[in-house]
Amino acid sequence: MSEFLAEAIGTFILILFGCGVNAGTSLSKSLSNKSSNSWVVGTLGWGLAVTMGVYASGKVSGGHINPAVTVGLLTNGEINAISAINYISGQCIGAFIACIFIYFHYLPNWYKTESQDIKLGVFATSPSINSRWSNLLSEIIGTFALLFGLKFIGTNEFAEGLNPLIVGGLVCAIGISLGGTTGYAINPVRDFIPRLAHFILPIPGKGSSNWNYSWIPVIGPIVGGVMGVSFFSYLFEGLVTPYFIISLSVFILISILSYFEIKT
């Protein structure tokens, strides 16, 4: 199996299970739609989706299933640019195919669900409070936690095959602790490709795909991913790279903009 196919399959599983739990806990007439436990079920579902996606692709490609991971490791020299393009292409293809599966799986439920926001929420994230710089900062921090966590998980030895479970637990922790502000995309492909699918697929009464927000869950995770990897290199290896300085500077700038945005 090629790395492209491995990333496509891994990301397909990620989006199938992840957007699937979104649909199951939000669409009308779904038996798993219970508002009292939807957030906990959602974070657990996404954590398990990551676990299964990494299991599916890990042996071949390392189980990135996330361009933020791929770009972060690219800046650290752990993969080359050709591999990065190959990985991200596979991730995009796998994610879009998974969205088609979700559309058909829940086909009757789209007609029974009136809310346009719920239909968009099956595929893409939205902020709890619209605040451009604060939303961007949340995605940076969440993805920083993901990549920094992945790097320090890698410094520990686990029983054979246990790593994907630990990674899934990390994603659950991020979702429960940090996800309430923006829905914790922490993965450009997890948000942009399903949002594109929402735009393209003939979902009845779907409304806007909210493209005005779409850049935040793309740029935020990229910056946060690079910062997480480079910060780990600084702390544990003593390396001060240009990526560390740039990403840290962007983080500080966005933090300042976020503060003054709220104050005004």
Side-chain angles (χ1 to χ4, degrees):
M1 182 187 296
S2 69
E3 293 176 341
F4 171 88
L5 185 58
E7 286 294 308
I9 292 173
T11 311
F12 168 84
I13 292 172
L14 167 69
I15 299 300
L16 180 69
F17 290 160
C19 287
V21 76
N22 287 352
T25 56
S26 61
L27 292 179
S28 296
K29 303 297 183 180
S30 167
L31 296 178
S32 54
N33 183 351
K34 303 293 182 183
S35 58
S36 61
N37 65 2
S38 61
W39 186 255
V40 174
V41 171
T43 54
L44 179 60
W46 276 103
L48 291 173
V50 169
T51 294
M52 295 302 110
V54 174
Y55 271 128
S57 58
K59 285 290 186 181
V60 177
S61 65
H64 291 192
I65 61 174
N66 182 345
V69 175
T70 302
V71 172
L73 297 182
L74 172 66
T75 62
N76 203 37
E78 295 184 40
I79 61 171
N80 58 46
I82 299 300
S83 293
I85 293 171
N86 201 29
Y87 279 38
I88 294 172
S89 299
Q91 292 159 7
C92 291
I93 296 296
F96 193 82
I97 294 172
C99 290
I100 296 173
F101 274 59
I102 292 297
Y103 167 73
F104 281 108
H105 183 81
Y106 285 99
L107 191 57
N109 300 82
W110 303 117
Y111 291 91
K112 297 295 184 180
T113 303
E114 295 182 1
S115 172
Q116 295 178 349
D117 290 340
I118 286 176
K119 291 173 183 177
L120 176 60
V122 168
F123 294 97
T125 62
S126 297
S128 58
I129 299 173
N130 280 303
S131 178
R132 178 195 303 169
W133 302 118
S134 293
N135 298 155
L136 182 60
L137 184 63
S138 289
E139 286 294 327
I140 292 173
I141 291 172
T143 317
F144 167 83
L146 174 65
L147 268 293
F148 189 69
L150 289 176
K151 292 294 288 183
F152 69 63
I153 285 171
T155 64
N156 294 275
E157 294 185 5
F158 300 99
E160 182 70 22
L162 188 59
N163 277 62
L165 282 172
I166 306 301
V167 172
L170 171 63
V171 172
C172 283
I174 292 170
I176 292 170
S177 302
L178 305 175
T181 52
T182 60
Y184 72 112
I186 60 174
N187 180 342
V189 159
R190 173 265 173 274
D191 188 274
F192 183 80
I193 298 301
R195 193 181 299 271
L196 180 64
H198 174 272
F199 177 76
I200 293 173
L201 292 171
I203 301 167
K206 63 182 175 181
S208 168
S209 298
N210 195 15
W211 289 108
N212 289 334
Y213 179 75
S214 64
W215 65 277
I216 288 176
V218 173
I219 301 300
I222 295 298
V223 174
V226 172
M227 189 170 75
V229 171
S230 60
F231 194 70
F232 179 89
S233 296
Y234 170 70
L235 287 181
F236 289 87
E237 300 168 7
L239 298 177
V240 180
T241 67
Y243 297 108
F244 172 72
I245 296 171
I246 293 170
S247 60
L248 184 60
S249 299
V250 171
F251 172 75
I252 293 171
L253 175 62
I254 300 302
S255 299
I256 294 170
L257 290 172
S258 175
Y259 176 80
F260 284 106
E261 179 183 42
I262 298 300
K263 294 291 286 186
T264 56

